[in-house]
Amino acid sequence: MHLFTMFLSSLLNHFINLALTGQATSIYFPLATYSSVGSATVNASQGKEKGGKDHIKTELMDMVPIKKLQWLSSVFCVDANGIVVLMEFRGGGLMVYDLTGAISASFFKGYSKLSNKEKLEWNNRGFSTFHSVVVAAGSLYLLLFSDLFIDSEDVLFINKSSTLSETIMGVSIGYFLSDLAMIIYNYPALGGIEYILHHGLSMFSIVQSLLSGQAQFYIFIVLFTEITTPFVNLRWRLDAAGLKNSKLYIYNGVALFIGWLVARIILFVFLFFHMFVHFDQVKKVYWLGFYSLIAIPPVLSLMNLFWFWKIARGMIKTLRKSKQT
């Protein structure tokens, strides 16, 4: 499993380098790409005439310090070794995934009665809940309580970033990469093609924003939508535990419906409106990031609408059933 994750991480790093410099790197281990990325940066920034594709590459590489590429590669390396960038436990190197299983076995009697497939998904959902809480809290702080994304005389909000914002995005990349590897490795036990598409688009967007330092405001709006994930995971766990007819299941379903409506429907409307009002700054994002910013949010929004329709149907069905009983 760790080798499979390492292969995915090095493959992603290979395509990042190819997109930025036009030069390929060997697909084996992320740290091995440092020298090739560094030389590509030098080649891209020297001896190029302005205009055409060479000028675009040079502009982009000027915005992407080599330290960011190295840091991003190191994130993938840590992730590939199974630590998942979330936490490292001395004396065992346990992942959040494994910790979820250990805690569940100790405090939930029904855990031992679950099938191996159900235990796999149970532990995986503990992993995703941890990520969603950390990322949503960080996004909320950066968006509402910090002054990071306030325009200043020197820097526009579209070009603003900080150590904290990059750290949160690094954690999110580590989660999406690891979870994607688990989904593919255990396909289709942990999810179908829609999860692969969601994780792929999310990683593609976050990596671009992290490397360029641009459009992080919009990235954190989308990352905040992860706040609905704990309700989704609790709903599945209650179902797996045979508590589908409990009051907690009903209350959680209503909370999920309201949370999804606010965080994944209304918030996306605000995102599109904000982009429209500040389109003069949106146009300053480098070319690949600009087109991604235009294309990816509508795709995620359509996916959210589809899932919202399913959540609404499930909630109505549950409420009708509870009234009958």
Side-chain angles (χ1 to χ4, degrees), residues 16-31:
I16 292 171
N17 190 56
L18 187 63
L20 294 178
T21 68
Q23 299 185 16
T25 56
S26 58
I27 303 175
Y28 175 60
F29 193 71
L31 285 176

Side-chain angles (χ1 to χ4, degrees), residues 89-142:
F89 295 89
R90 293 183 179 180
L94 292 173
M95 297 189 303
V96 176
Y97 172 89
D98 296 321
L99 185 62
T100 300
I103 294 175
S104 299
S106 301
F107 295 96
F108 177 58
K109 296 181 180 180
Y111 182 79
S112 59
K113 299 179 181 179
L114 299 175
S115 64
N116 290 334
K117 180 181 177 180
E118 288 175 328
K119 287 181 180 178
L120 176 68
E121 186 162 359
W122 182 286
N123 296 350
N124 181 261
R125 287 180 181 273
F127 180 30
S128 68
T129 298
F130 182 87
H131 162 262
S132 65
V133 171
V134 171
V135 170
S139 300
L140 183 66
Y141 170 77
L142 290 172

Side-chain angles (χ1 to χ4, degrees), residues 126-314:
F127 180 30
S128 68
T129 298
F130 182 87
H131 162 262
S132 65
V133 171
V134 171
V135 170
S139 300
L140 183 66
Y141 170 77
L142 290 172
L143 291 171
L144 296 184
F145 301 104
S146 75
D147 58 355
L148 176 62
F149 297 114
I150 298 177
D151 280 336
S152 63
E153 295 180 0
D154 299 328
V155 185
L156 299 174
F157 84 87
I158 200 72
N159 295 322
K160 284 195 169 186
S161 63
S162 68
T163 301
L164 177 60
S165 68
E166 291 179 353
T167 300
I168 293 173
M169 287 194 293
V171 169
S172 197
I173 291 171
Y175 161 72
F176 282 122
L177 180 64
S178 299
D179 199 46
L180 180 62
M182 293 185 68
I183 290 172
I184 296 176
Y185 188 79
N186 298 283
Y187 190 85
L190 296 178
I193 191 65
E194 68 275 10
Y195 287 93
I196 296 176
L197 177 63
H198 174 270
H199 283 26
L201 291 176
S202 298
M203 278 198 301
F204 183 70
S205 302
I206 296 171
V207 166
Q208 287 189 84
S209 184
L210 178 61
L211 292 177
S212 67
Q214 294 183 306
Q216 292 192 7
F217 175 79
Y218 297 116
I219 292 294
F220 284 113
I221 289 179
V222 176
L223 283 179
F224 178 73
T225 63
E226 289 293 312
I227 193 66
T228 60
T229 300
F231 300 103
V232 175
N233 292 338
L234 179 58
R235 181 183 183 182
W236 183 90
R237 281 199 173 94
L238 291 171
D239 188 10
L243 299 173
K244 196 171 183 179
N245 295 323
S246 65
K247 289 185 178 180
L248 179 58
Y249 184 88
I250 297 173
Y251 296 152
N252 179 75
V254 174
L256 174 60
F257 174 83
I258 296 173
W260 198 280
L261 176 63
V262 174
R264 292 186 181 256
I265 306 299
I266 297 176
L267 191 58
F268 263 81
V269 174
F270 168 77
L271 183 148
F272 295 136
F273 175 76
H274 194 280
M275 286 178 58
F276 175 77
V277 173
H278 298 85
F279 198 68
D280 57 325
Q281 292 199 41
V282 173
K283 290 188 294 185
K284 296 181 183 298
V285 177
Y286 83 100
W287 68 276
L288 183 58
F290 171 76
Y291 289 114
S292 299
L293 196 56
I294 296 298
I296 293 179
V299 175
L300 294 178
S301 182
L302 289 175
M303 295 175 69
N304 286 335
L305 284 171
F306 171 72
W307 284 323
F308 182 66
W309 173 69
K310 296 183 69 174
I311 291 170
R313 286 185 60 190

